[in-house]
């Protein structure tokens, strides 16, 4: 069992590695970064992105699969990458590209770590799907960007989990692991997203989504949406801290939703959440 003293030492070690920029961070494949940057800089059209996607057979197959899924299926099946991109839209393609890359990042090197990563990835998918649904009625936000914010909200946990597994083979107790994730996860998550050159509106999410009192101002942000989605996910899974008073969470009031209502239990929203999850899972 990993005791408190060893736990503190490991936290210090990770902090030093962060400061020295020696902590091993997950990376996105070059094609994912290339497509993300092209879409965000408005420098690409469907034919251009299709040529980028064609470099990665797995990505090509995935986009065709999603374009022909029940969520996007039109009157006929598409059989070319460019047709798939035209049907999905460039912004959804950007999010799906990052999603596929992140699925590869969440691959574990041990059975114990795999179990931990599966829970993290499940939370990522659920928060992404709920974020996509919540952003639907917010004109100033893009649903695809909100979904992407949900996908990356807990990315900081990966290096921590890997460190614990490398040092102790995951003999750490759940309480100790949870403490390390709370202590370092948000900081490392923001560090990772900045290293990936994510926009500031998304890079703040790992830190802001764990603070129920987060309130940057009157305008609704992606961080507000992901924060509300994360709390919805925790409440639905019975993991919400009992000390959290949802009625006092600014994000719920700004978005205009009842904090006591779980969308996962509502007909309509629950189906939409399940469809988005299915699309992201493959």
């Amino acid at each position: 069992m990993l005791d408190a003293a060893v736990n503190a030492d490991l936290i210090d070690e990770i902090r030093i590695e962060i400061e020295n920029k020696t902590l091993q961070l997950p990376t996105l494949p070059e094609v994912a970064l290339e497509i993300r940057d092209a879409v965000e800089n408005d420098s690409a059209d469907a034919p251009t992105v299709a040529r980028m996607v064609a470099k990665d057979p797995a990505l090509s197959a995935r986009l065709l699969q999603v374009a022909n899924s029940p969520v996007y299926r039109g009157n006929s099946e598409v059989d070319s990458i460019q047709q798939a991109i035209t049907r999905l839209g460039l912004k959804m393609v950007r999010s799906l590209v990052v999603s596929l890359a992140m699925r590869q990042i969440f691959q574990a090197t041990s059975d114990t770590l795999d179990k931990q990563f599966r829970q993290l990835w499940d939370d990522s998918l659920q928060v992404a799907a709920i974020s996509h649904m919540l952003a639907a009625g917010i004109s100033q936000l893009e649903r695809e960007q909100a979904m992407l914010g949900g996908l990356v909200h807990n990315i900081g946990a990966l290096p921590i989990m890997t460190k614990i597994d490398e040092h102790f083979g995951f003999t750490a107790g759940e309480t100790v692991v949870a403490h390390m994730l709370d202590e370092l996860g948000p900081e490392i998550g923001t560090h990772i997203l900045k290293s990936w050159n994510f926009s500031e509106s998304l890079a703040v999410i790992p830190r802001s989504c764990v603070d129920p009192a987060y309130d940057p101002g009157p305008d609704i942000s992606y961080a507000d949406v992901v924060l509300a989605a994360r709390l919805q996910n925790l409440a639905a899974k019975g993991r919400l801290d009992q000390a959290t008073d949802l009625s006092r969470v600014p994000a719920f009031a700004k978005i205009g939703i009842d904090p006591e209502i779980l969308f996962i239990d509502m007909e309509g929203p629950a189906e939409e959440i399940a469809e988005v999850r299915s699309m992201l899972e493959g």
Side-chain angles (χ1 to χ4, degrees), residues 206-219:
R207 279 181 168 156
S208 59
C209 76
V210 296
D211 178 12
Y214 176 78
D215 186 9
D219 294 333

Side-chain angles (χ1 to χ4, degrees), residues 18-136:
I18 293 173
E19 292 174 6
N20 294 337
K21 298 183 179 180
T22 56
L23 181 66
Q24 188 66 40
L25 300 176
T27 57
L28 286 177
E30 189 63 34
V31 65
L33 292 172
E34 184 180 8
I35 293 170
R36 193 274 313 272
D37 291 344
V39 173
E40 291 190 353
N41 294 331
D42 295 323
S43 62
D45 52 17
T48 303
V49 174
R51 288 193 291 273
M52 296 177 183
V53 171
K55 300 175 184 177
D56 189 321
L59 177 57
S60 301
R62 183 77 186 97
L63 291 185
L64 283 170
Q65 180 186 15
V66 174
N68 290 308
S69 70
V71 179
Y72 284 96
R73 185 181 297 142
N75 295 325
S76 60
E77 185 172 297
V78 299
D79 56 10
S80 75
I81 300 172
Q82 185 170 326
Q83 287 175 329
I85 291 170
T86 300
R87 175 174 289 182
L88 294 171
L90 292 176
K91 290 174 182 176
M92 178 55 75
V93 169
R94 171 196 60 193
S95 297
L96 289 173
V97 166
V98 175
S99 170
L100 182 61
M102 285 188 62
R103 284 179 63 191
Q104 298 169 353
I105 291 171
F106 275 79
Q107 297 299 311
T109 54
S110 71
D111 290 341
T112 310
L113 192 57
D114 182 65
K115 180 181 177 181
Q116 302 287 336
F117 276 12
R118 283 178 184 274
Q119 178 176 312
L120 288 172
W121 183 235
D122 183 75
D123 284 338
S124 295
L125 291 172
Q126 195 71 356
V127 172
I130 297 173
S131 297
H132 184 271
M133 185 270 300
L134 290 178

